[in-house]
Amino acid sequence: MATLKDISRHLNLSVTQVSRALNGYSDVNENTRKRVLDAAKELNYHPNIAAQKLVSGRSGMVALVLPKHPQLSSDNNFLEVVSGLSQVFSGRDMQFVLHIAREDDEIISVYRKLIDRGALDGFVVVEPLLDDPRINFLRDRGVPFVVHGRTRTQTDYPYYDIDNDGVGYALTRHLIDEGHRRIAFINGLEKRNYSLARTDGYRKALEEAGIEFDPDLIRYGRMNDALGMISTVQFFTGATRRPTAVICGNTLVARGVYATLKSLGLAVPDDVSVVAHDDVLPDVRGSAFYPALTVTKAALRNSWAPMAAFLVGAINGEPVEELQEVAASEFIERASVAPPKR
């Protein structure tokens, strides 16, 4: 098995340069880091975690902690998150650890145990709550972490997010501009900050158009086909005033909406207009729907590289204001929207 010295001799670099490149230090330029990573792969180098931690105080290991839920194994978002993060951290020669907590575990106690064992350099936090106890705990313990999203209370930590307020606003505004006034919204989990931000955008667009917000037209839940199906049945069977348009939190929800509308004898967009946010999940893309789905588009996969870079930066003590990004989504108009029937 190759050592740091072998890579050093192979590239005519110092052992220190090689070590810093492998550990993601920001003072190593991208070209050198790539040369070192390529050489490590070519020479079959694998870090000795125990020795590495003894010398540097770091293990090269980061973790994602998730609570177990019944649909986890079939959750497309979960699979995209784990596979994407695994790849980018592997590209930085770091180990990405997934820890699934038991259903009866108190999540902060899980973090406490993992931190006290001293084997991890930092954490990835996903789906933040309004005031997230995980973020508060990690901040208080001084442990490096990066968040996919933001909380509303404090943002003095590394994060990568998209403009979710803008997502809710853009989709709602487009439907209003097409003449819709009774617009349903099938959103993500209610306590997640991204869902609340999208609701804010939705309400803002309604308010600007003089349309009263109707809480009966909004649903929250884990975003999958079933949520789209159940919500559509609730909106379109037995209701005296049906919505003329539906906003979907993602394309999985939209797939459930399309299928249920068809089973109810309703056509998109002739009877009901449908729009969604597109995370560009494999095999569930808005462009593949029939009719093609109007969306705000921001690929989940675009999150992983900056998140890995931000966590490495946090571990290296870089200024937090340099480890934050809010990305815009792209609005794509397709064939799933038409003016409502009069």
Side-chain angles (χ1 to χ4, degrees):
M1 185 181 293
T3 65
L4 289 178
K5 288 183 178 180
D6 293 327
I7 300 174
S8 170
R9 284 193 294 267
H10 183 71
L11 297 175
N12 197 27
L13 295 171
S14 71
V15 171
T16 300
Q17 284 178 294
V18 171
S19 177
R20 294 182 76 81
L22 289 172
N23 285 287
Y25 281 85
S26 59
D27 59 355
V28 179
N29 68 54
E30 269 308 302
N31 183 55
T32 300
R33 190 177 74 82
K34 186 176 185 309
R35 288 178 61 213
V36 170
L37 292 174
D38 288 346
K41 186 175 180 180
E42 178 186 345
L43 298 175
N44 194 30
Y45 168 78
H46 297 283
N48 183 318
I49 298 298
Q52 185 183 68
K53 188 166 180 64
L54 187 64
V55 173
S56 67
R58 298 176 184 173
S59 64
M61 298 171 63
V62 297
L64 170 65
V65 179
L66 291 177
K68 183 177 175 58
H69 67 80
Q71 300 166 344
L72 191 61
S73 61
S74 60
D75 188 325
N76 291 55
N77 278 39
F78 163 73
L79 298 173
E80 183 77 359
V81 169
V82 172
S83 62
L85 287 171
S86 297
Q87 289 177 41
V88 295
F89 280 112
S90 178
R92 288 178 170 270
D93 205 32
M94 299 174 71
Q95 290 187 305
F96 175 72
V97 178
L98 173 65
H99 184 98
I100 305 295
R102 294 177 304 186
E103 291 186 59
D104 59 344
D105 280 340
E106 198 277 315
I107 201 69
I108 297 304
S109 68
V110 174
Y111 277 98
R112 184 178 291 110
K113 289 175 185 176
L114 292 172
I115 292 168
D116 290 345
R117 289 171 187 164
L120 298 168
D121 292 336
F123 292 87
V124 175
V125 177
V126 298
E127 294 197 332
L129 305 171
L130 186 65
D131 181 22
D132 201 300
R134 299 169 298 175
I135 292 173
N136 296 333
F137 177 75
L138 292 171
R139 186 200 292 113
D140 291 345
R141 287 291 298 263
V143 176
F145 65 96
V146 65
V147 182
H148 187 242
R150 292 167 288 172
T151 59
R152 295 195 178 193
T153 49
Q154 290 178 285
T155 53
D156 56 343
Y157 49 80
Y159 63 77
Y160 180 92
D161 199 3
I162 65 168
D163 179 9
N164 282 296
D165 186 293
V167 165
Y169 180 87
L171 293 172
T172 310
R173 185 74 252 179
H174 179 66
L175 292 169
I176 291 170
D177 289 344
E178 288 292 323
H180 294 275
R181 296 187 64 82
R182 190 160 176 78
I183 301 167
F185 189 4
I186 307 174
N187 206 343
L189 291 166
E190 187 170 9
K191 294 183 179 180
R192 300 297 190 267
N193 197 54
Y194 73 88
S195 299
L196 298 173
R198 291 179 184 183
T199 300
D200 285 346
Y202 168 73
R203 295 186 71 150
K204 180 181 177 182
L206 293 176
E207 183 179 332
E208 286 181 356
I211 302 171
E212 185 178 354
F213 172 76
D214 183 351
D216 290 338
L217 286 177
I218 194 162
R219 296 289 185 276
Y220 294 99
R222 192 165 297 282
M223 293 192 294
N224 53 30
D225 298 58
L227 178 64
M229 292 177 178
I230 293 167
S231 300
T232 302
V233 169
Q234 292 171 342
F235 288 140
F236 291 95
T237 58
T240 54
R241 294 183 62 219
R242 295 178 174 182
T244 62
V246 180
I247 300 170
C248 303
N250 70 5
T251 50
L252 293 168
V253 173
R255 187 167 66 182
V257 171
Y258 266 54
T260 308
L261 288 173
K262 184 177 180 180
S263 71
L264 294 173
L266 298 171
V268 177
D270 295 341
D271 299 309
V272 184
S273 291
V274 181
V275 297
H277 179 67
D278 189 357
D279 294 308
V280 196
L281 299 173
D283 304 322
V284 204
R285 301 191 181 188
S287 58
F289 280 62
Y290 184 79
L293 186 62
T294 292
V295 297
T296 49
K297 179 180 175 183
L300 265 179
R301 63 170 177 266
N302 293 342
S303 308
W304 315 138
M307 286 180 65
F310 292 166
L311 182 51
V312 169
I315 292 167
N316 292 337
E318 295 176 16
V320 70
E321 59 269 16
E322 297 178 11
L323 308 175
Q324 300 175 332
E325 182 177 349
V326 179
S329 58
E330 177 186 6
F331 182 81
I332 303 175
E333 184 175 357
R334 297 196 179 105
S336 63
V337 176
K341 290 181 176 178
R342 300 298 179 187

